[in-house]
Amino acid sequence: MGQNTGSVCNVLILTHGKSGEELIRSAEMIMNKIDDIYAFSLLPGMSPEEYYEMVKRKLDTIQGNVLVIVDVFGGTPSNVAALLSKQYNISIVTGLNLPMLLEVVSLRSSMAGEELANEMVSVGKDGCRNLLEMLKD
Amino acid sequence: MIGIIIATHGDFGNSLLKSSEMIMGRQENVAILGLEYGDSVEVLTDELKDYIGKMNKGDGVLVLIDLFGGSPSNATLMNMWDANFKSITGLNMPMLLEAFSSRKSCSLDELADKCAEAGRLGIRELHKELSKSF
């Protein structure tokens, strides 16, 4: 099973505004408190440089695998993640949603890196469905 | 204009709306339903019914939900006989941005399809794309 280091993969959530922090709270309404997950909220007035430094400082303290999930491809959070991926060995998934976040909690002790990122993409995409159409199947 | 309702556990919907408004500017005809601890599905069902009525300005309403199988999705299913709305699960930012940019120019069915598609297409492995482009 991939690169299991014996410890859980750390998760960094990078979003415009506080939606990442709030999504973690939503996930915690469904399951227990989630450890080793860190949200970085890009707030109005914050420069990309400040934001970059904030995330970088956290990455410097983490040993082991890191999965970064960002809200949307092509904004400051995703640009910052892309820049940091040149210096740190991180996997990055875009399009953060709740199915992804719930799944990462159960999978990250047995998966990391590419394998975990792949699974996040598949679970996240699978979660995007037409609710009423599903009932017809 | 198609009305948008965002129904989620907790305050995620509200903060995602604010985040999207950081990118697209202020949006009209949007309602937020956030389920808090202790809220019942029955109350949520009634609130949603009420909102669908209020948000429908003639073109229908799209209900965006965080997850299939939680209380927000159950409350939506309880309203399924109402023909004035469609609903997409797995809410993320690309989906919401698509909803805001296309809701004046297409039908409710088309918007539902576009949002599901945008949600899926927005989920990618960024590090893989980077290794392609550098």
Side-chain angles (χ1 to χ4, degrees):
Chain A
M1 293 279 275
Q3 317 137 273
N4 189 349
T5 58
S7 62
V8 298
C9 181
N10 287 275
V11 180
L12 268 55
I13 307 279
L14 274 55
T15 61
H16 292 83
K18 292 187 175 174
S19 56
E21 291 174 44
E22 289 301 337
L23 192 64
I24 294 171
R25 212 185 128 249
S26 300
E28 288 177 339
M29 287 177 79
I30 297 170
M31 43 177 43
N32 292 331
K33 184 165 175 352
I34 307 171
D35 295 317
D36 302 315
I37 189 162
Y38 310 96
F40 295 87
S41 304
L42 174 70
L43 301 174
M46 194 183 273
S47 73
E49 291 76 17
E50 276 175 84
Y51 189 68
Y52 172 89
E53 284 303 325
M54 201 166 81
V55 182
K56 187 176 186 300
R57 273 198 299 276
K58 186 72 216 179
L59 283 172
D60 284 332
T61 68
I62 297 176
Q63 292 186 325
N65 289 302
V66 176
L67 174 71
V68 178
I69 311 179
V70 305
D71 52 359
V72 68
F73 176 79
T76 300
S78 107
N79 292 342
V80 162
L83 265 177
L84 288 165
S85 74
K86 293 182 181 174
Q87 301 170 52
Y88 298 85
N89 184 21
I90 54 179
S91 307
I92 310 163
V93 175
T94 66
L96 171 71
N97 66 6
L98 187 53
M100 233 184 240
L101 198 52
L102 294 176
E103 194 72 7
V104 79
V105 175
S106 52
L107 292 181
R108 65 183 178 159
S109 53
S110 57
M111 282 183 191
E114 197 74 358
E115 193 185 12
L116 183 61
N118 259 310
E119 199 58 31
M120 285 305 99
V121 168
S122 135
V123 167
K125 284 187 172 181
D126 219 37
C128 300
R129 299 210 206 172
N130 189 317
L131 182 66
L132 306 176
E133 290 289 322
M134 283 167 74
L135 299 176
K136 292 182 188 165
D137 296 337
Chain B
M1 186 199 286
I2 294 165
I4 307 285
I5 299 174
I6 305 173
T8 66
H9 293 81
D11 208 32
F12 173 61
N14 196 27
S15 57
L16 191 67
L17 171 63
K18 284 188 196 152
S19 303
S20 302
E21 287 182 335
M22 282 172 78
I23 297 173
M24 292 192 67
R26 186 145 167 67
Q27 297 297 317
E28 289 166 30
N29 209 21
V30 190
I32 307 288
L33 264 177
L35 178 83
E36 288 302 332
Y37 289 103
D39 287 355
S40 75
V41 180
E42 289 74 20
V43 172
L44 200 64
T45 302
D46 290 343
E47 281 178 346
L48 188 61
K49 184 181 162 66
D50 203 40
Y51 273 141
I52 292 170
K54 280 185 194 150
M55 303 305 290
N56 186 10
K57 311 290 182 196
D59 297 317
V61 174
L62 185 65
V63 182
L64 300 173
I65 306 175
D66 53 1
L67 179 75
F68 172 69
S71 300
S73 104
N74 290 339
T76 307
L77 287 173
M78 299 289 272
N79 282 295
M80 64 182 283
W81 308 117
D82 185 332
N84 295 315
F85 81 96
K86 297 282 175 195
S87 178
I88 302 295
T89 62
L91 172 65
N92 61 9
M93 193 185 238
M95 188 185 286
L96 189 58
L97 295 178
E98 179 67 43
F100 289 147
S101 51
S102 296
R103 64 175 166 155
K104 286 179 183 166
S105 58
C106 64
S107 72
L108 181 56
D109 280 330
E110 285 166 350
L111 189 65
D113 288 345
K114 279 180 181 231
C115 286
E117 183 74 5
R120 286 191 291 265
L121 287 177
I123 298 172
R124 294 144 74 161
E125 280 175 76
L126 186 59
H127 53 278
K128 273 193 185 166
E129 318 217 350
L130 293 172
S131 59
K132 265 185 257 163
S133 56
F134 291 123

